[in-house]
Amino acid sequence: MQIPGGNRSLFETSWKKCLPLISSLQCLELVIETLRLTSGIYLQPEMVLNLPKDLHEETFKNITTVFKELYNKMAARTQRAIYEWMRQTLQRSYKPPGLNGSGSWITAENLWFLGQYIVHLPLEEIQKINPNEIRLFINYDNATKQLDSVYDITPATAKAFQERIDASGFDLINTSTVYRLGLLVCFFDNVQELDAGEARSLLHQMIKCNRLKGFQVAVRKLKSQLLELVLKNQTLNESLDSISDAIAGLSFTQLESLSAEAVRNAISVLRTVTGWTKSQMIVLIDKFIGDSKQLSVFNISQLGELMLGVSAGLLYNMSAEGLAQAVRGTLSEHAAQLSAVQRMAVVTKMVETSDISSVLDLLNGSFLKELSVSSLLKVKDYNITRLDHKELRRSQALYLYNVVSDGKPGSEIISVGELAKGLTCEQIQSLDNTTFLPVAEVLKSNLDLLSSHQLNCLAWKYQQEAPTLMPPLLLATLPHVVLEDAAQSVCRLLLFSLGRAELQLIIPDSTKRNEVIRRAFQCLNYTLQDEYDVDVLGGMICNLSPQTIKTNISLKALTEAFMQFRSCKNLSNDQKIEIRNKIREYYSTPTAWQPELIQDLGPLVTFLSKEDLTIVAEKFPDVLLQLALDVEGMAIFQDFLAVVFSTLIRATENDKLSSLTPGCRGFTVPSFDQILKLADANSYWSVQELSCMSTQTFIKSVEHLGALKSFDMIQLIALKDKAKMAWGPIRSWKKYQVVALGRIALALNESEIKELELGSIDTVAALSQQKEWTPTQARSMLEGFLRDSGLTVDAMKEWDLVGLGSLLCAMTDQEVIFLSASTYSAAAARISEIVCGVEILQELLKKARYGFGNVTAWDNFILQEVGTVAAGIRKEEITMLNEELMPYFRPAAIAALPSEVFKELSPKQLANLGPENAAIVTESQKAALSTEQLSSLQAAVDGADSNHLIQMLLSASPILNSESLTISVLP
């Protein structure tokens, strides 16, 4: 069960051997057990076709029970094949009643029996169902549970069922019927016949529509229509607590019209709604808090996810006791969703009002990661068990490891929480042969926590102490000459390990990574012969070259290869083109495809040529549009987006603007529904079409448009101008409107930015998330924040610095001088992620010296904490750093070091950079190095341990001199 392909082998063998004897109890039990054990993922459509059609009734029921259990885990084509097999068996056993009876095999009993597989019933079959049978089916209490589970039903199938239910005498508008419809309610088609009470009842049932696999745009539109009906006889304030999750579809204008009393009265409903945007939350929180501007622990417990709209200042101003209670409850539940600014405000208050050990006890998860090393330095002793299950930054782990271990490594320490991140190379090397193996055994189950440097150090220790016990994954971190010697004996295990790891994290250098992949693929004779080879290769399939994909994957391996390729995140265009060709080769022209194949291929469909995509769009427009939503935000071919856009526009040809709006006659005007359906394909709207959008559509869709990365600057300017039309002069824009803009804000020029109200750091933090600001725009925002908040640079708090993010780079040297050193130290871990110009980094490093002492006396955890700021180091300081500190520079800090500073590193320092830092060195930095320095740098890239490698190579080959040694460690 633990070896690659073991599950598949067990399943396929059991299936093959037992299928002819499936009626025997032993074989039936074995098939059922292996199906459950493997979740049915290895069951192929052709295997289902081989199932006997004449099974005993009990055997048929037992095996279909398992098929129904595993429905959600199986491929769409397998689901379809199982439905066809079940249909044939049910049809064969169906005995039509007398002449007056129905000839359809779809009885109430068979509908119950099919379970989720009813979604595969053809429309013409549904239309033939006898009304008496559908009435029996709906009357049965379990039918509701069954219809609640059909998450992959299509609108056409749902409407066909509704028509038969209606024809059977049920009143679809009746509340008791609505309750029985399950997910069919998501496609209700007679809104015009409803009164306000019936619309409200339907809205409450539609909460479950979030489970649907697709068609959420249609669901949202239906909820909006129902909401309009509800509000005909009641105001929004009166209806707020009774309109279900349709509230999330309210516009800013509607939310602004709410009274504070209505929001407070409905808060128990509002807090349970999913789908709120950040801007909507800001509006609701302002209503909820009102003029009091105070938060209590009771308030926070009422808010739930709406906490995301609370300002950092409100959190900081809470009482310390109340905030501590909230951190144990509601705040902790939503910590990962809170902004870094909000979390930093909470942590700052905790640190100011409690002793640091208590804070360390209290904080967990995302909150704990905001706790600065400068605060942790006050912890001199700590109970190790209290760190269990706590998530730590590497700098925190490095410091706390020393606190709890007194600098000595031990298996009982690294088995607690994430303290393994704090284990240094020197500590690993210091282990004697009796203590190493217990420590190594614990580390084996925590390899995913270790850096590439730690993995490399651990591999060398294994090589020294117990080479035969080395986990195969660690072999890949060693120099190629060592890997070549050792890999053959653990060939398939090496492949298995690499296929389930993030290779870029383990082997940062692309040249060495490609060599490791080549060596591993050699274990399969450079060919994927069948699905078992694909199992063994695992995630490494994402690293195969385009040529290998083209020529070295057999037809027998392709089905499973496609399933693996689906999960690849960073395929090159050349790889995608070869996968596209393989899809065409294997499945032929899309004219013969079925929707289930498109669902199974998923994101791979986006690789198809424009011609093939057009065929898919003409056959299955709904499937293609749903796929566009599923792959939103992925890097995909423009051909796919172009076809998605033309497909939707073709489907809405009648939406031409018929008014006399100047310049807009004859243009397709974007509607809210279209914008939601198009996702990334919205980038194909012309500037003219975006300009013709109604202000109401813009207001409803602004956050969707602002979240897209595909708009160019001309389109963004058109959307900015539309914002001015919708919201009035920029000086009147409210903070939730500024937050809603997203990338559209990038179109604001310097003078427009000066008109924004930027007094809230939460607003500025939302703007700073955009990474494309020009220096003048960034400077305008920084000045706007200081002006509107009334703060001076020296008065800024920790969360202000965190919120400014990359806008800190817009400060002048003189402004940085006035930053509080203690405030900088508390926010250092966040500031460590931004890359400013050298002058700013040098000034920030002065703040780091105030907080942490002279650079030459820094510990590894401080170097890790200050991150990119370390790139401001002086020449004379970098030469004095101990080589053991070199791996604790952040990669971004190494890349940001000026060449004239970088070249001062000694060969020994360069050799100790560690694989990740060595791989990030820029070409201009390399150009400044001597031959000796370059050799040392290459040794670090390749994962060489200078002492061990020299001794091993020289003892093996006495004739080697220093020149041949340098060549030997090159990949």
Side-chain angles (χ1 to χ4, degrees):
M1 296 304 297
Q2 301 306 314
I3 63 168
N7 280 5
R8 185 188 297 276
S9 178
L10 178 64
F11 173 74
E12 290 190 355
T13 304
S14 303
W15 187 270
K16 183 179 177 182
K17 297 282 186 186
C18 275
L19 210 56
L21 303 168
I22 193 74
S23 294
S24 74
L25 187 60
Q26 280 184 314
C27 265
L28 179 64
E29 285 180 353
L30 182 57
V31 166
I32 287 173
E33 185 64 23
T34 53
L35 273 168
R36 285 182 172 138
L37 187 67
T38 60
S39 300
I41 59 173
Y42 301 128
L43 185 62
Q44 301 299 322
E46 55 273 19
M47 297 168 74
V48 176
L49 295 176
N50 292 329
L51 274 166
K53 308 290 191 297
D54 54 353
L55 291 177
H56 295 310
E57 185 178 350
E58 197 61 32
T59 305
F60 178 64
K61 283 182 179 178
N62 284 334
I63 201 162
T64 50
T65 297
V66 186
F67 286 156
K68 286 184 273 190
E69 279 176 26
L70 302 176
Y71 181 90
N72 298 339
K73 296 178 181 178
M74 290 190 288
R77 280 170 299 162
T78 305
Q79 293 170 352
R80 181 75 191 179
I82 290 172
Y83 160 76
E84 288 295 342
W85 174 73
M86 290 169 72
R87 176 190 63 77
Q88 291 173 24
T89 306
L90 291 171
Q91 259 185 312
R92 187 175 291 105
S93 60
Y94 169 67
K95 296 180 175 57
L99 293 175
N100 297 326
S102 163
S104 172
W105 64 274
I106 308 174
T107 62
E109 187 176 349
N110 283 347
L111 283 172
W112 297 324
F113 187 84
L114 283 170
Q116 279 181 263
Y117 289 92
I118 63 170
V119 302
H120 296 282
L121 284 165
L123 299 184
E124 57 273 18
E125 292 274 25
I126 297 171
Q127 289 157 1
K128 292 177 189 173
I129 302 175
N130 186 299
N132 291 330
E133 298 295 338
I134 204 82
R135 192 182 307 117
L136 278 172
F137 172 67
I138 292 296
N139 264 327
Y140 186 56
D141 286 340
N142 273 0
T144 302
K145 183 179 178 182
Q146 183 174 331
L147 291 173
D148 276 344
S149 71
V150 289
Y151 70 95
D152 54 343
I153 197 165
T154 63
T157 303
K159 286 171 185 175
F161 270 114
Q162 284 183 36
E163 287 169 8
R164 295 316 290 155
I165 294 166
D166 190 35
S168 71
F170 278 100
D171 180 5
L172 290 181
I173 295 171
N174 186 285
T175 303
S176 63
T177 307
V178 166
Y179 171 77
R180 291 178 174 274
L181 292 178
L183 292 179
L184 300 183
V185 299
C186 309
F187 306 98
F188 195 84
D189 210 16
N190 299 307
V191 176
Q192 62 279 2
E193 298 178 18
L194 302 175
D195 61 29
E198 291 161 342
R200 185 181 289 108
S201 172
L202 191 56
L203 272 177
H204 276 281
Q205 287 303 311
M206 288 188 73
I207 292 175
K208 65 184 71 168
C209 296
N210 293 330
R211 300 179 207 153
L212 277 179
K213 193 174 182 180
F215 311 107
Q216 289 300 325
V217 176
V219 169
R220 184 171 181 147
K221 185 175 183 178
L222 176 56
K223 285 181 179 179
S224 178
Q225 292 171 331
L226 294 170
L227 186 56
E228 283 180 26
L229 275 176
V230 170
L231 297 179
K232 273 187 175 178
N233 300 327
Q234 272 188 313
T235 66
L236 190 54
N237 281 322
E238 292 169 326
S239 309
L240 195 57
D241 60 354
S242 64
I243 54 178
S244 180
D245 63 351
I247 314 170
L250 296 176
S251 68
F252 291 143
T253 309
Q254 289 173 305
L255 291 173
E256 280 279 32
S257 72
L258 293 171
S259 69
E261 184 183 6
V263 171
R264 291 188 194 110
N265 290 340
I267 198 67
S268 60
V269 174
L270 298 176
R271 72 189 296 272
T272 63
V273 172
T274 58
W276 292 117
T277 65
K278 183 70 178 285
S279 338
Q280 287 176 312
M281 291 180 189
I282 291 171
V283 177
L284 290 170
I285 290 297
D286 281 349
K287 296 282 182 186
F288 181 77
I289 300 299
D291 298 328
S292 69
K293 301 299 178 191
Q294 290 291 321
L295 265 182
S296 66
V297 66
F298 175 67
N299 289 154
I300 287 181
S301 68
Q302 290 178 288
L303 290 176
E305 192 180 352
L306 291 175
M307 273 302 310
L308 276 63
V310 174
S311 72
L314 272 176
L315 289 168
Y316 179 76
N317 288 329
M318 280 183 68
S319 71
E321 186 181 340
L323 195 55
Q325 272 186 269
V327 166
R328 293 187 192 98
T330 303
L331 278 178
S332 184
E333 293 169 26
H334 301 286
Q337 288 77 46
L338 292 174
S339 71
V341 180
Q342 291 170 309
R343 292 197 297 266
M344 182 57 82
V346 170
V347 172
T348 301
K349 184 66 169 232
M350 297 286 94
V351 170
E352 287 176 356
T353 54
S354 305
D355 71 90
I356 197 64
S357 291
S358 301
V359 174
L360 193 50
D361 284 345
L362 176 66
L363 298 180
N364 219 326
S366 300
F367 278 125
L368 180 54
K369 282 193 161 186
E370 303 297 341
L371 186 62
S372 68
V373 162
S374 63
S375 296
L376 285 177
L377 289 173
K378 298 169 189 170
V379 177
K380 301 303 178 188
D381 185 36
Y382 197 72
N383 183 339
I384 185 174
T385 58
R386 281 144 62 185
L387 287 172
D388 204 8
H389 305 302
K390 287 188 182 282
E391 195 177 343
L392 301 171
R393 293 196 320 275
R394 197 163 298 280
S395 55
Q396 294 171 323
L398 283 164
Y399 178 72
L400 288 171
Y401 187 95
N402 281 335
V403 168
V404 299
S405 70
D406 197 24
K408 296 171 187 173
S411 56
E412 74 285 350
I413 297 169
I414 55 175
S415 64
V416 173
E418 295 196 325
L419 281 178
K421 290 179 179 178
L423 189 62
T424 68
C425 201
E426 294 70 41
Q427 288 165 339
I428 293 172
Q429 288 297 337
S430 70
L431 293 165
D432 58 37
N433 53 12
T434 56
T435 56
F436 168 66
L437 288 178
V439 170
E441 194 59 33
V442 176
L443 286 174
K444 269 170 67 175
S445 58
N446 286 308
L447 292 181
D448 58 319
L449 297 178
L450 304 184
S451 69
S452 58
H453 173 60
Q454 287 174 305
L455 290 171
N456 184 241
C457 292
L458 186 59
W460 277 112
K461 187 65 176 176
Y462 264 110
Q463 188 75 359
Q464 180 188 358
E465 300 287 349
T468 58
L469 299 177
M470 187 187 304
L473 179 66
L474 296 182
L475 268 175
T477 72
L478 295 173
H480 178 56
V481 288
V482 183
L483 173 65
E484 196 70 45
D485 288 339
Q488 195 57 47
S489 61
V490 288
C491 215
R492 293 179 78 82
L493 288 176
L494 173 65
L495 261 176
F496 187 48
S497 300
L498 293 174
R500 276 132 194 87
E502 284 283 348
L503 274 190
Q504 284 180 301
L505 298 179
I506 295 166
I507 313 167
D509 179 64
S510 59
T511 305
K512 181 181 178 184
R513 191 164 59 247
N514 290 336
E515 182 56 36
V516 169
I517 291 163
R518 184 200 66 77
R519 179 65 189 84
F521 197 40
Q522 187 182 352
C523 293
L524 295 172
N525 295 321
Y526 302 107
T527 304
L528 294 180
Q529 292 288 357
D530 54 28
E531 61 271 35
Y532 290 95
D533 282 351
V534 178
D535 287 340
V536 174
L537 195 65
M540 261 212 305
I541 200 169
C542 306
N543 302 100
L544 296 183
S545 70
Q547 184 60 34
T548 301
I549 295 170
K550 180 179 181 178
T551 59
N552 296 55
I553 305 179
S554 75
L555 288 175
K556 196 168 187 292
L558 270 178
T559 304
E560 190 58 34
F562 291 142
M563 293 302 101
Q564 282 283 3
F565 280 129
R566 279 181 51 145
S567 59
C568 298
K569 295 174 185 172
N570 298 303
L571 292 169
S572 70
N573 282 350
D574 288 342
Q575 286 175 306
K576 290 176 182 178
I577 288 168
E578 293 305 336
I579 293 169
R580 164 209 294 178
N581 295 338
K582 283 292 180 186
I583 291 172
R584 195 64 148 79
E585 176 189 345
Y586 193 69
Y587 293 116
S588 188
T589 171
T591 52
W593 290 7
Q594 293 302 312
E596 289 82 14
L597 174 58
I598 300 169
Q599 290 168 35
D600 285 345
L601 289 174
L604 303 189
V605 174
T606 67
F607 304 168
L608 296 180
S609 66
K610 194 168 186 177
E611 294 72 25
D612 283 348
L613 283 166
T614 303
I615 294 170
V616 172
E618 287 170 355
K619 283 192 72 178
F620 311 112
D622 284 347
V623 178
L624 193 74
L625 290 171
Q626 182 54 45
L627 186 60
L629 294 172
D630 293 341
V631 299
E632 187 175 6
M634 285 175 54
I636 50 182
F637 283 131
Q638 290 299 306
D639 279 351
F640 175 73
L641 297 179
V643 171
V644 167
F645 185 80
S646 61
T647 301
L648 186 68
I649 298 306
R650 193 167 55 248
T652 53
E653 275 295 327
N654 297 326
D655 290 353
K656 300 283 186 186
L657 191 68
S658 57
S659 70
L660 298 177
T661 306
C664 288
R665 283 186 64 83
F667 282 97
T668 301
V669 181
S671 69
F672 180 52
D673 285 351
Q674 286 174 326
I675 287 166
L676 291 186
K677 287 179 181 177
L678 284 171
D680 288 333
N682 277 294
S683 59
Y684 278 82
W685 293 114
S686 69
V687 170
Q688 182 68 58
E689 287 165 334
L690 291 172
S691 299
C692 290
M693 187 195 312
S694 73
T695 54
Q696 291 83 1
T697 297
F698 173 81
I699 290 169
K700 288 174 76 175
S701 59
V702 58
E703 287 189 85
H704 298 280
L705 295 170
L708 298 175
K709 295 178 181 176
S710 45
F711 286 126
D712 61 31
M713 186 51 70
I714 300 174
Q715 291 170 309
L716 292 176
I717 289 170
L719 291 169
K720 174 197 70 176
D721 292 340
K722 185 60 63 176
K724 290 181 180 178
M725 290 176 60
W727 295 334
I730 290 176
R731 70 182 71 87
S732 69
W733 289 1
K734 298 183 179 177
K735 60 184 178 183
Y736 68 81
Q737 291 169 325
V738 178
V739 169
L741 284 174
R743 276 191 80 244
I744 299 170
L746 292 170
L748 295 166
N749 60 39
E750 192 177 347
S751 58
E752 289 170 330
I753 289 171
K754 287 178 180 175
E755 293 184 52
L756 291 173
E757 168 51 52
L758 295 175
S760 164
I761 189 58
D762 303 276
T763 306
V764 175
L767 291 171
S768 75
Q769 296 303 304
Q770 306 305 325
K771 304 302 179 190
E772 302 156 79
W773 297 111
T774 65
T776 53
Q777 286 175 310
R779 181 66 197 174
S780 293
M781 275 187 280
L782 178 63
E783 290 174 351
F785 170 64
L786 293 171
R787 177 194 67 227
D788 296 340
S789 67
L791 290 171
T792 53
V793 171
D794 61 326
M796 285 198 291
K797 301 289 285 182
E798 291 87 329
W799 63 86
D800 294 321
L801 298 186
V802 169
L804 285 172
S806 59
L807 301 182
L808 277 172
C809 300
M811 283 189 172
T812 64
D813 298 2
Q814 290 303 306
E815 285 170 331
V816 177
I817 289 171
F818 286 105
L819 273 179
S820 158
S822 61
T823 302
Y824 159 77
S825 297
R830 282 284 173 187
I831 295 172
S832 72
E833 298 168 1
I834 62 175
V835 183
C836 298
V838 174
E839 296 80 8
I840 298 298
L841 292 177
Q842 287 171 344
E843 290 301 326
L844 286 171
L845 190 60
K846 290 177 184 176
K847 299 298 166 188
R849 289 191 192 96
Y850 282 123
F852 301 117
N854 289 330
V855 176
T856 51
W858 281 1
D859 286 300
N860 51 19
F861 53 83
I862 297 173
L863 196 55
Q864 182 75 193
E865 179 87 344
V866 301
T868 55
V869 171
I873 195 168
R874 295 192 296 256
K875 288 182 183 181
E876 55 272 23
E877 288 176 320
I878 203 165
T879 58
M880 296 174 67
L881 287 180
N882 188 309
E883 63 269 10
E884 291 177 357
L885 283 177
M886 301 312 294
Y888 301 100
F889 272 97
R890 296 266 193 97
I894 291 293
L897 278 170
S899 297
E900 61 269 20
V901 176
F902 185 77
K903 72 178 183 181
E904 298 300 318
L905 289 169
S906 71
K908 198 168 184 183
Q909 286 174 313
L910 288 165
N912 281 278
L913 273 175
E916 192 176 8
N917 285 340
I920 203 75
V921 174
T922 66
E923 290 304 316
S924 60
Q925 288 171 328
K926 288 178 187 175
L929 299 181
S930 68
T931 305
E932 187 184 6
Q933 286 174 308
L934 284 171
S935 296
S936 294
L937 178 63
Q938 184 58 55
V941 166
D942 199 42
D945 176 293
S946 52
N947 294 326
H948 289 137
L949 187 62
I950 291 168
Q951 290 168 9
M952 187 179 69
L953 290 177
L954 289 178
S955 64
S957 306
I959 59 168
L960 286 177
N961 57 29
S962 60
E963 286 184 34
S964 58
L965 175 61
T966 302
I967 294 166
S968 295
V969 298
L970 293 174

